[in-house]
Amino acid sequence: VGRARKILVLVPRILVPQWVEELGYWAGDRVYQVERESVRDYEVAGFPDGWYVASMDLFVRNRAVREALLRVDWDLVVVDEAHRLSPRTAKKRWMLIAEELIKKHPERSVLLLSATPHKGFPDDYIARLQALDPLLEPDVRALDSKSFYGRTWNALVFRRLKADVNGVYEGEQVFVGAQLQAVLIKPSELEAKFYAEIT
């Protein structure tokens, strides 16, 4: 990231203020919030070096914002909540972000972030990997194998566990351990009858 001068961060609308605030702690006044009202000013100024945080849906729905951002020579594009970038369930978002902003520019560095587990649809998951690496085989069926998934670990996919966050990144216990206790509860007469009928 130290080499990237112009960085675009696309996030769900609700996360825009959080990203702007957190980036501001270490990037200071080089963090810009992209809105309908501000994008023209950034364009006139030539999009000065820095971090530009925009809502995914603003990018998709507002043509003027989208066209302005598509004209910028981004060094890095970050998409948070990247599971929302899906050719299966969000076709328009996929076409405008993945196809236009990312895949048409293989020279760009791209970082897709998500804490939502893979839902088991290989076409969806592999499409995101193909957005990261345009040289991957285009046929999803050819890539849908344990061998391929294994080769993506620590190459295209980097997984961070709670233990990594606690022990490496934060150096303190951000995620506390769960304490589980089994409790037996005697069912009421009605619950017992219902359970017996259903089984």
Side-chain angles (χ1 to χ4, degrees):
V1 173
R3 292 174 294 173
R5 296 175 302 107
K6 293 184 196 305
I7 301 110
L8 175 63
V9 182
L10 292 175
V11 302
R13 162 64 62 198
I14 196 165
L15 295 179
V16 169
Q18 179 183 345
W19 268 89
V20 169
E21 181 182 352
E22 291 186 16
L23 283 171
Y25 288 130
W26 62 273
D29 61 355
R30 293 181 343 110
V31 179
Y32 308 98
Q33 185 169 333
V34 177
E35 297 293 347
R36 287 179 194 87
E37 304 79 24
S38 62
V39 75
R40 181 76 182 123
D41 293 335
Y42 299 144
E43 196 169 26
V44 168
F47 278 92
D49 292 355
W51 294 79
Y52 291 83
V53 183
S55 155
M56 282 184 206
D57 289 328
L58 176 66
F59 180 87
V60 170
R61 293 181 182 150
N62 188 291
R63 185 176 181 167
V65 169
R66 181 173 61 254
E67 288 178 355
L69 294 177
L70 285 172
R71 285 191 287 268
V72 178
D73 187 17
W74 301 108
D75 297 308
L76 172 64
V77 173
V78 178
V79 180
D80 193 12
E81 300 294 325
H83 57 278
R84 295 183 181 203
L85 195 59
S86 163
R88 295 183 79 252
T89 59
K91 289 186 174 92
K92 186 172 184 183
R93 190 180 294 152
W94 176 262
M95 289 303 298
L96 294 174
I97 296 175
E99 299 290 341
E100 296 294 318
L101 184 65
I102 297 172
K103 291 177 92 174
K104 279 192 176 177
H105 300 276
E107 74 285 356
R108 283 187 181 148
S109 294
V110 177
L111 183 61
L112 303 180
L113 304 172
S114 181
T116 300
H118 169 38
K119 292 184 178 162
F121 300 110
D123 56 334
D124 211 41
Y125 183 73
I126 291 171
R128 284 192 211 101
L129 296 180
Q130 289 168 328
L132 292 173
D133 185 349
L135 299 178
L136 284 177
E137 163 74 42
D139 183 6
V140 169
R141 291 168 301 183
L143 297 177
D144 185 23
S145 70
K146 189 174 182 178
S147 168
F148 169 71
Y149 295 131
R151 290 193 309 269
T152 66
W153 286 97
N154 294 322
L156 288 174
V157 179
F158 298 89
R159 187 172 180 204
R160 298 297 175 251
L161 304 174
K162 291 178 182 178
D164 297 325
V165 173
N166 287 347
V168 179
Y169 302 109
E170 296 297 328
E172 61 181 290
Q173 196 167 10
V174 175
F175 293 104
V176 295
Q179 294 183 357
L180 304 175
Q181 182 179 2
V183 179
L184 294 175
I185 300 172
K186 185 175 181 177
S188 70
E189 191 176 315
L190 183 61
E191 289 169 334
K193 182 179 178 200
F194 176 74
Y195 179 78
E197 288 179 8
I198 212 167
T199 55

